[in-house]
């Protein structure tokens, strides 16, 4: 849906996967523990919605809401490596050569997990706490084809880890037992030049 000041989009999905490849570590096989791959029947569903509203010709408010849920039908359990509910709210300003923006990203806790199960990207390590982070950015375009931008991500230096953390990735010979936190407060600069 779109008008001059408002636009909205939504997408929904549902999948029924037979023979989903599930990787499970620390699996008891005889007298030893190992990593196995097996096929399970799985269903996933979810959606995403985006809205953009122009408060003024130079100021926009943007929002996004995303949710995914999965179920391992074979084991009658949650499907591992599913992201939790996530919401983003941003305000953008652009006028002449100047631009600025602010972003709030909030992610819910994930309490639907299966320890030691996942896929080639990673394994569930347990529940994940929710978090909210704030970011700011600004830009200046001194001439056509040139843009200088700067920003601060994780403005309040919040310690958090994503549920789908690379800390849960399988590396041959290493048992992953904890998540890797995302970077703290990060100041960045960027220079774009078009030829």
């Amino acid at each position: 849906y779109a008008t001059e000041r408002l636009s909205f989009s939504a997408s929904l999905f549902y999948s029924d996967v037979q023979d989903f490849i599930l990787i499970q570590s620390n699996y008891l096989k005889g007298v030893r523990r190992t990593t196995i791959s097996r096929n399970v029947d799985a269903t996933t569903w979810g959606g995403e919605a985006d809205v953009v509203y122009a408060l003024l010709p130079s100021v926009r408010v943007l929002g996004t809401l995303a949710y995914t849920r999965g179920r391992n039908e074979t084991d009658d359990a949650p499907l591992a490596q599913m992201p939790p509910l996530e919401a983003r709210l941003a305000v953008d300003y652009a006028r002449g050569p100047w631009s600025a923006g602010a972003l709030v990203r909030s992610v819910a806790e994930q309490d639907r997990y299966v320890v030691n199960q996942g896929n080639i990207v990673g394994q569930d390590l347990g529940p994940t706490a929710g978090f909210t982070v704030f970011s700011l950015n600004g830009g200046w375009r001194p001439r056509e084809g040139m843009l200088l931008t700067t920003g601060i991500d994780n403005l309040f230096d919040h310690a958090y880890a994503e549920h789908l953390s690379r800390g849960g990735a399988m590396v041959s010979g290493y048992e992953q037992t904890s998540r890797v936190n995302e970077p703290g407060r990060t100041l960045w600069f960027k220079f774009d030049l078009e030829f």
Side-chain angles (χ1 to χ4, degrees):
Y1 174 80
T3 65
E4 187 176 323
R5 296 181 68 180
L6 174 69
S7 66
F8 172 81
S9 68
S11 61
L12 301 172
F13 75 90
Y14 174 85
S15 69
D16 183 359
V17 183
Q18 295 179 2
D19 295 330
F20 178 91
I21 300 173
L22 182 73
I23 298 175
Q24 186 169 346
S25 61
N26 205 25
Y27 181 83
L28 183 60
K29 191 172 185 180
V31 294
R32 65 182 179 94
R33 296 205 172 265
T34 188
T35 298
I36 64 167
S37 298
R38 62 187 176 102
N39 294 101
V40 297
D41 292 337
T43 55
T44 60
W45 61 95
E48 184 171 340
D50 297 292
V51 65
V52 179
Y53 182 71
L55 289 173
L56 302 167
S58 57
V59 179
R60 298 181 315 156
V61 176
L62 304 90
T64 302
L65 186 65
Y67 182 68
T68 303
R69 190 167 174 132
R71 182 126 189 99
N72 174 342
E73 302 293 347
T74 300
D75 297 342
D76 193 27
L79 187 62
Q81 291 290 282
M82 289 285 111
L85 175 67
E86 179 176 336
R88 293 174 183 242
L89 182 62
V91 177
D92 284 346
Y93 167 83
R95 185 169 183 179
W98 300 100
S99 62
L103 170 69
V104 177
R105 178 175 175 243
S106 189
V107 177
E109 69 178 7
Q110 180 57 290
D111 56 5
R112 294 180 46 80
Y113 62 92
V114 183
V115 174
N116 297 327
Q117 288 188 4
N119 50 45
I120 61 171
V121 176
Q123 303 266 303
D124 278 1
L125 301 173
T128 308
F131 61 87
T132 300
V133 291
F134 299 84
S135 301
L136 301 172
N137 67 76
W140 176 53
R141 186 177 301 278
R143 68 171 78 158
E144 189 67 32
M146 187 181 292
L147 177 63
L148 299 164
T149 52
T150 186
I152 301 174
D153 292 341
N154 195 357
L155 180 65
F156 299 112
D157 200 26
H158 182 70
Y160 70 98
E162 301 280 355
H163 182 71
L164 302 183
S165 172
R166 292 296 297 166
M170 294 185 335
V171 178
S172 182
Y174 295 93
E175 182 78 21
Q176 296 299 328
T177 58
S178 63
R179 287 183 182 79
V180 175
N181 278 351
E182 296 299 313
R185 183 181 303 116
T186 305
L187 178 63
W188 56 267
F189 297 93
K190 183 177 174 184
F191 177 65
D192 291 314
L193 183 60
E194 296 177 9
F195 296 99

